Amino acid sequence: MFEGFERRRVETGDGIAINCVVAGNGPPVLLLHGFPQNLAMWAHVAPLLVPAGFTAVCADLRGYGDSSKPACLADRSNYAFRAMAADQVALMQRLGFARFHVVGHDRGGRTGHRLALDRPDVVLSLAVLDIVPTYAMFMDTNRHVAGAYWHWYFLSQPEHFPERVIGNDPDLFYETCLAGWGATRVEDFDPEMLADYRRCWRDPAMIHGSCSDYRAAATIDLEHDKADLDRKVACPALVLYGAAGTMARRFDIPAEWGKRCADVRAASLPGGHFFVDQFPQETADILAKFLSGK
């Protein structure tokens, strides 16, 4: 994967190191993965953005992949999207990029949303893939959303209950997540990418990191999001989603982001939550067009 990309692990401060791959010579684009994946999810997308004229930086979030996985603090602050966003700003600055585009799927999209709110001076544009804002996910839920996205409530339980349950059979748990709300089968994922996901999620530290991410979402992230309900992301924003996914069936995704972003355009692909894995060429084409300002 990522032939021709430079692999880096960059110290970003406070004992945190962020793992990434980098290639290209054009405007920088930071690509952030979601749960329960890692930067490998961009293996068929990022190489298409480089010849389209961009520098692609694919990074593992704190707690995931090969980035640092600290023990979660009692107040959850070190796994808040604010902390994850700060990691990525520091990464890009150390790579020499003062301003950049942000593309995030799932947890990466939530990190990108927080990054655009906290650091509007560095974000050229924001693309959020197959999510609605965190506040809406918690406050506008119902039995259908909760039934499909049950992992939000399970992973946020106090440690180390979910960690021990997941650790008994990580492949079963995380692959159930991949197939459960993605409108995909595990067999639909690229074998090399899936092998890398398995390598990472079998690590007890990543299991703890992913649970900590969701614990923060249910507490400190919700507080941050509530405090910013009246603020809108000012930069151009793309809302891209899988038309066959749970989010599209349960929410008006463009309308939800219209409440939180001043300049929204929307697009969809005929897949589920993991449409990036299903339609990498089409995803890259949509992203390249948006990033080019077309």
Side-chain angles (χ1 to χ4, degrees):
M1 294 184 291
F2 297 108
E3 183 177 355
F5 280 66
E6 179 186 5
R7 296 182 177 271
R8 300 276 301 272
R9 197 166 189 269
V10 179
E11 300 289 335
T12 57
D14 296 326
I16 299 296
I18 298 299
N19 181 59
C20 67
V21 296
V22 185
N25 295 298
V29 182
L30 174 64
L31 297 116
L32 301 174
H33 65 87
F35 172 92
Q37 297 164 292
N38 57 35
L39 64 78
M41 75 162 286
W42 302 109
H44 295 313
V45 174
L48 299 175
L49 294 178
V50 173
F54 299 96
T55 296
V57 179
C58 308
D60 286 329
L61 295 170
R62 173 188 299 218
Y64 292 85
D66 291 310
S67 288
S68 294
K69 305 169 186 67
C72 189
L73 297 176
D75 66 358
R76 316 305 189 199
S77 60
N78 65 331
Y79 275 94
F81 292 125
R82 176 161 283 160
M84 291 185 176
D87 290 340
Q88 301 302 326
V89 173
L91 167 70
M92 295 300 279
Q93 289 177 340
R94 282 160 176 72
L95 293 175
F97 304 121
R99 303 187 72 206
F100 49 90
H101 301 278
V102 180
V103 176
H105 176 258
D106 191 80
R107 313 310 284 180
R110 301 185 189 287
T111 302
H113 180 210
R114 174 47 55 190
L115 200 162
L117 287 171
D118 286 356
R119 293 298 306 274
D121 56 310
V122 305
V123 180
L124 295 170
S125 72
L126 172 67
V128 290
L129 278 56
D130 209 65
I131 59 169
V132 296
T134 301
Y135 191 84
M137 276 294 291
F138 277 114
M139 298 307 179
D140 299 334
T141 194
N142 55 41
R143 63 186 178 89
H144 301 291
V145 176
Y149 277 63
W150 55 270
H151 64 291
W152 277 57
Y153 306 96
F154 171 68
L155 294 171
S156 62
Q157 294 301 304
E159 58 258 53
H160 294 279
F161 166 57
E163 283 94 334
R164 291 187 64 182
V165 173
I166 297 167
N168 185 60
D169 193 341
D171 289 357
L172 174 64
F173 179 82
Y174 289 115
E175 288 173 23
T176 297
C177 292
L178 289 180
W181 14 266
T184 49
R185 304 168 302 164
V186 172
E187 295 77 15
D188 294 331
F189 290 84
D190 178 280
E192 188 177 8
M193 294 161 65
L194 184 59
D196 203 55
Y197 301 154
R198 287 171 174 155
R199 174 185 67 83
C200 292
W201 70 40
R202 289 170 180 170
D203 178 0
M206 196 229 117
I207 297 173
H208 174 68
S210 65
C211 292
S212 300
D213 171 13
Y214 281 83
R215 291 180 184 121
T219 54
I220 189 168
D221 285 321
L222 196 56
E223 294 171 9
H224 292 163
D225 215 23
K226 183 178 180 180
D228 284 333
L229 283 177
D230 294 330
R231 292 181 59 208
K232 288 193 173 186
V233 171
C235 67
L238 171 67
V239 178
L240 177 56
Y241 58 93
T246 299
M247 286 293 97
R249 293 196 303 272
R250 301 303 176 193
F251 291 94
D252 183 339
I253 300 177
E256 290 295 338
W257 283 106
K259 301 173 186 176
R260 308 303 299 274
C261 301
D263 179 8
V264 177
R265 56 284 315 259
S268 65
L269 285 169
H273 185 61
F274 298 104
F275 67 85
V276 175
D277 297 82
Q278 295 174 280
F279 303 102
Q281 178 68 63
E282 293 84 350
T283 298
D285 290 344
I286 292 171
L287 290 176
K289 182 177 180 180
F290 168 70
L291 295 169
S292 298
K294 298 179 182 178

